[in-house]
Amino acid sequence: MELKELPKCPIETTLQLLSNKWKILIIRDLLNGTKRFGELKSALGTITQKVLTTNLRDMEDKGLIVRKVYSEKPPKVEYTLTDIGYSLGNILDSMADWGSGYKEYLKILAKRK
């Protein structure tokens, strides 16, 4: 991705890079370290192989992850976050904090009814 292709607004840039729930969940799982394709697919549950492959390729193209292929039979492929990919951990931490707070808010509202 080139700089001239990115939106002027940095929030919009971030949203463009994390454009769907799968990318965010892939980052969540890779924050714990390198994973193989099958490990990611299992961790993500309902994601299809095609959707996972598409998202991983896009994230690799954008510099968020590195794909390492080992020449063995069957082929072994591992995915790791790049430094810029790891830096998204702070955003995910904030999202987790907000999500927890929202759940608490809903509990309080439910008690008032």
Side-chain angles (χ1 to χ4, degrees):
M1 177 168 276
E2 293 184 34
L3 186 59
K4 65 182 178 183
E5 297 172 359
L6 294 174
K8 289 183 181 182
C9 173
I11 293 172
E12 191 175 346
T13 298
T14 305
L15 285 172
Q16 192 176 75
L17 290 171
L18 302 177
S19 60
N20 65 58
K21 76 174 186 177
W22 296 120
K23 288 180 182 169
I24 293 168
L25 295 176
I26 290 166
I27 291 166
R28 175 202 65 191
D29 290 342
L30 291 176
L31 284 167
N32 296 321
T34 299
K35 300 273 188 298
R36 293 181 68 179
F37 185 89
E39 292 175 307
L40 286 169
K41 185 159 180 354
S42 293
L44 297 170
T46 60
I47 193 169
T48 65
Q49 186 167 331
K50 180 182 178 188
V51 170
L52 179 55
T53 299
T54 300
N55 279 285
L56 289 169
R57 285 183 183 157
D58 187 54
M59 294 169 73
E60 183 181 12
D61 289 344
K62 291 178 177 162
L64 300 176
I65 63 171
V66 174
R67 177 179 184 258
K68 185 172 182 180
V69 180
Y70 296 87
S71 57
E72 49 186 71
K73 300 280 181 183
K76 178 180 171 182
V77 180
E78 292 181 336
Y79 297 91
T80 307
L81 289 171
T82 60
D83 288 343
I84 198 70
Y86 272 112
S87 72
L88 291 165
N90 295 329
I91 293 171
L92 271 62
D93 288 344
S94 293
M95 291 173 73
D97 290 345
W98 188 90
S100 295
Y102 185 70
K103 285 181 178 182
E104 290 302 315
Y105 168 74
L106 291 178
K107 287 178 187 176
I108 292 167
L109 283 180
K111 287 180 183 177
R112 291 181 184 167
K113 290 185 179 178

